[in-house]
């Protein structure tokens, strides 16, 4: 561990520059090409045995020669920046503090930490924000790459996560009947309908599940009364959440 820490500190300026470059290049979902090409450039500079972009746009960096694969995955797409005036710092420049940034794959090769019979795959994957899981579905089904293990670099507050609740996206369309604004009673205002639905979506996330509650919240998934077959799984993984993310 001391050798790894020492090696990582030696790469601090290089890693910081790379991170600043990644921040500087816009990379919203389906627009990640600039960051992908910069990542490939970094992989080549670090001496990866092979660095390539697959047909979906994922960057794949390889080290080692074994048949079995250990993959380190990190998605590089980002969400939009919203109202730029709300940012205290330029979202495409970032700023530096005294925090240390650590790297893994280059050090593994230099210190001989790649296990015999294995090779390391470092991926920079695309479209995770909009199509969570599609990138690895493509890597497995189309690139025909099946690792023995995948280490996901999503933040987990330093803990090891043993499961995931999954994810669902639901689209709700509301239709009405248009009319002149001077006589709204002649129409059917879809905006008002959607306003009611939005309040109920919020209630699903915030409400309890007691008998007095008309719209019972998602906390009910933790109770055998409402989720007889899977309440124990829900208690292990935690209650689900929901929110309106686009309108």
């Amino acid at each position: 561990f001391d050798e790894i820490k020492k090696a990582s500190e030696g790469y601090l300026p290089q890693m910081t520059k790379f991170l600043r470059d990644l921040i500087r290049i816009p990379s919203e979902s389906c627009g990640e090409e600039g960051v992908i090409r910069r990542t490939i450039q970094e992989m080549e500079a670090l001496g990866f045995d092979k660095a390539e972009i697959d047909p979906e746009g994922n960057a794949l960096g390889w080290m080692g020669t074994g048949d079995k694969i250990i993959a380190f995955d990190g998605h590089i797409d980002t969400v939009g920046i919203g109202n730029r005036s709300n940012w205290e710092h330029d979202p495409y420049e970032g700023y530096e503090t005294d925090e240390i940034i650590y790297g893994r794959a280059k050090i593994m090769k230099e210190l001989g930490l790649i296990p015999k019979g294995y090779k390391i795959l470092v991926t920079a994957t695309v479209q995770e924000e909009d199509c969570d899981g599609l990138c690895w579905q493509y890597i497995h089904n189309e690139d025909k790459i099946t690792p023995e293990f995948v280490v996901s670099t999503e933040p987990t507050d330093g803990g090891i996560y043993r499961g995931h609740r999954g994810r669902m996206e639901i689209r709700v369309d509301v239709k009405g009947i248009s009319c002149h604004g001077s006589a709204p009673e002649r129409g059917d205002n879809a905006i008002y309908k959607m306003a009611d639905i939005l309040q109920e979506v919020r209630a699903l996330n915030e409400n309890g599940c007691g008998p007095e509650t008309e719209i019972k919240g998602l906390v009910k998934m933790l109770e055998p009364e409402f989720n007889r077959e899977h309440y124990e799984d829900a208690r292990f993984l935690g209650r689900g959440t929901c929110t309106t993310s686009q309108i």
Side-chain angles (χ1 to χ4, degrees), residues 16-233:
T16 302
K17 182 183 184 303
F18 178 47
L19 179 58
R20 289 291 297 268
D21 286 349
L22 295 184
I23 293 170
R24 191 173 291 115
I25 303 169
S27 58
E28 293 184 24
S29 282
C30 299
E32 306 98 332
E33 182 179 357
V35 165
I36 287 293
R37 295 196 179 279
R38 177 65 183 88
T39 300
I40 291 292
Q41 180 186 33
E42 190 73 9
M43 288 175 171
E44 292 173 343
L46 290 172
F48 275 61
D49 297 327
K50 183 179 180 182
E52 57 185 335
I53 302 174
D54 75 3
E56 193 191 31
N58 304 297
L60 310 176
W62 298 89
M63 286 189 178
T65 57
D67 295 327
K68 296 181 179 180
I69 300 169
I70 299 175
F72 290 82
D73 175 62
H75 75 89
I76 48 79
D77 62 316
T78 56
V79 297
I81 64 172
N83 186 347
R84 195 160 186 158
S85 64
N86 289 337
W87 290 77
E88 295 181 4
H89 303 275
D90 188 335
Y92 292 124
E93 288 295 329
Y95 63 96
E96 295 181 35
T97 68
D98 292 332
E99 294 293 326
I100 295 178
I101 304 170
Y102 291 95
R104 292 187 178 91
K106 169 70 170 176
I107 296 169
M108 291 178 71
K109 183 177 181 180
E110 287 186 336
L111 299 184
L113 298 176
I114 300 176
K116 185 178 180 180
Y118 285 82
K119 54 187 171 185
I120 302 300
L121 169 63
V122 177
T123 66
T125 46
V126 299
Q127 299 181 34
E128 190 271 353
E129 295 289 353
D130 288 343
C131 309
D132 194 4
L134 179 64
C135 48
W136 268 98
Q137 178 177 296
Y138 189 95
I139 290 170
H140 180 265
N141 292 343
E142 305 299 330
D143 294 339
K144 306 300 182 185
I145 297 172
T146 305
E148 299 294 315
F149 301 96
V150 177
V151 178
S152 173
T153 59
E154 284 285 313
T156 58
D157 296 326
I160 297 175
Y161 278 21
R162 295 181 289 161
H164 192 284
R165 292 190 304 264
R167 174 179 170 183
M168 179 187 297
E169 292 189 10
I170 301 173
R171 171 173 168 164
V172 179
D173 291 324
V174 177
K175 297 181 179 181
I177 300 173
S178 62
C179 66
H180 195 279
S182 64
E185 70 279 359
R186 297 178 182 176
D188 186 15
N189 195 318
I191 297 175
Y192 291 155
K193 289 182 178 180
M194 184 58 79
D196 293 337
I197 292 171
L198 293 176
Q199 295 297 329
E200 293 179 355
V201 170
R202 182 165 64 180
L204 287 174
N205 195 57
E206 297 181 353
N207 285 5
C209 60
E212 72 286 354
T213 306
E214 180 180 1
I215 300 177
K216 300 190 186 327
L218 292 181
V219 67
K220 70 183 182 181
M221 68 173 59
L222 305 177
E223 303 302 329
E225 176 186 355
F226 302 102
N227 189 18
R228 183 167 54 87
E229 294 184 3
H230 299 292
Y231 76 95
E232 291 180 325
D233 296 331

